[in-house]
Amino acid sequence: MKRGVSRRGMILGGGVLGLGAAFLPRAVMAQEPLKVAGIYTVPVEQQWAGRIHQSAEAAKAAGVVDYSYTENVANTDYPRVMREYAESGVKLIVGEIFGVEAEAREVAAEYPEVAFLMGSSFMPDAAANPNLAVFDNYIQDASYLSGIIAGAMTTSGNIGLVGGFPIPEVNRLMHAFMAGVRETRPDARFQVTFIGSWFDPPKAKETAFAMIEAGADMLYAERFGVADAAAEKGVLAIGNVIDTQADYPETVVASALWHFEPTFEAAVAAVTAGSFAAENYGVYSYMNVGGCSLAPLGSFDGKVPAAAMELVAARQAAIMDGSFTVTIDDSEPKSS
């Protein structure tokens, strides 16, 4: 189901050399590449799936894994694709089971010799599925820092947030972002909307337009399409998961980046060592292990107030040394 898309080169290009270098020692020692499969309900141009796909492709280029993937898999078809890969000799399956939790866990139980690393809203169950570990982009650290910048850059104090679904993983990023905003703009007001889709750029764009009409001059682009609306209307935006500033140099001030490499490397190492278990791999997305970062300001370098950037630097240092912890709030955020 591979298809050419306009943003794919951008998503898949960054970070490959760095990950390849990190994997080289393992590649030299490995008897043969580990067979890995990715199963995605969205196209790999979508930012969340794209970060996973990029990491796997980099490991493949380094000779560590033999990676194949299927994208745009409907939830109703997901168990079938899981079984096909499991029966083909794949040793590690990476994917997302947010909309097919029960069925996916049943499949995992049928193939105890296969390791499943799945994006999920629920914790692992070692008793029922000792071979299924979970993860998600727990990048609240970087989201919080991007909020500090957003609060310093908004003029109206009216900020719009457009998300996919109000699941815990998304909710915590939005709450972290809003907490960061309040550090530099205590009186900020928020418009929060979920579009009910993980990949519907036109709907996200229209939702963002409505927020701008209602006074927002800063947008949190949790979904594709939001930055397009911001660019067209001349307001600012904060990116999520990937760095899109090259596409929106006058619009995207900062981005909270997700680095899936630590998660993927840990899983591959565990499978190779025969120690893969039902664990929460979400912790590999934290900033102090390299799972997330704040993107360079690029064209906005020098335009963000110095006091805000000093606060960002101080908070980041505190996050890294463990003296400051970003509050995790998985409840659904509301407009204020």
Side-chain angles (χ1 to χ4, degrees), residues 41-199:
T41 63
V42 293
V44 293
E45 73 167 304
Q46 191 258 19
Q47 62 266 51
W48 188 91
R51 300 307 285 183
I52 302 169
H53 183 66
Q54 170 186 308
S55 299
E57 286 285 8
K60 179 179 180 179
V64 178
V65 302
D66 175 7
Y67 169 68
S68 56
Y69 71 97
T70 305
E71 59 186 354
N72 293 316
V73 178
N75 283 330
T76 53
D77 205 29
Y78 208 94
R80 178 189 65 79
V81 179
M82 290 176 67
R83 288 189 175 93
E84 287 184 354
Y85 275 125
E87 292 174 5
S88 72
V90 166
K91 298 302 181 184
L92 172 63
I93 295 177
V94 182
E96 42 175 314
I97 57 174
F98 301 104
V100 63
E101 291 278 355
E103 297 89 341
R105 290 171 188 257
E106 289 176 3
V107 173
E110 295 172 12
Y111 300 93
E113 74 285 357
V114 179
F116 294 85
L117 179 64
M118 294 294 179
S120 172
S121 295
F122 298 92
M123 289 294 101
D125 183 345
N129 295 112
N131 60 327
L132 189 150
V134 300
F135 71 91
D136 209 342
N137 62 320
Y138 294 150
I139 61 171
Q140 63 272 359
D141 299 329
S143 296
Y144 167 81
L145 297 180
S146 72
I148 293 174
I149 293 172
M153 293 295 284
T154 179
T155 299
S156 67
N158 187 327
I159 298 177
L161 296 85
V162 181
F165 292 91
I167 64 172
E169 298 85 333
V170 174
N171 297 343
R172 73 167 56 185
L173 302 189
M174 288 188 165
H175 278 296
F177 171 79
M178 291 190 288
V181 168
R182 294 189 186 102
E183 292 275 19
T184 48
R185 189 64 187 255
D187 64 343
R189 292 168 292 125
F190 301 98
Q191 302 179 57
V192 180
T193 300
F194 296 93
I195 64 172
S197 172
W198 292 130
F199 193 73

Side-chain angles (χ1 to χ4, degrees), residues 176-238:
F177 171 79
M178 291 190 288
V181 168
R182 294 189 186 102
E183 292 275 19
T184 48
R185 189 64 187 255
D187 64 343
R189 292 168 292 125
F190 301 98
Q191 302 179 57
V192 180
T193 300
F194 296 93
I195 64 172
S197 172
W198 292 130
F199 193 73
D200 191 342
K203 188 171 184 179
K205 184 177 181 179
E206 288 303 315
T207 301
F209 277 147
M211 290 179 171
I212 295 169
E213 287 296 316
D217 69 348
M218 171 68 73
L219 300 174
Y220 177 70
E222 200 267 332
R223 295 291 99 195
F224 269 164
V226 175
D228 292 302
E232 288 187 24
K233 295 298 183 179
V235 303
L236 301 177
I238 297 294

Side-chain angles (χ1 to χ4, degrees), residues 264-289:
F264 192 74
E265 182 174 4
V268 169
V271 175
T272 301
S275 60
F276 188 86
E279 298 175 348
N280 176 19
Y281 276 68
V283 295
Y284 290 104
S285 292
Y286 287 15
M287 182 170 283
N288 63 359
V289 294

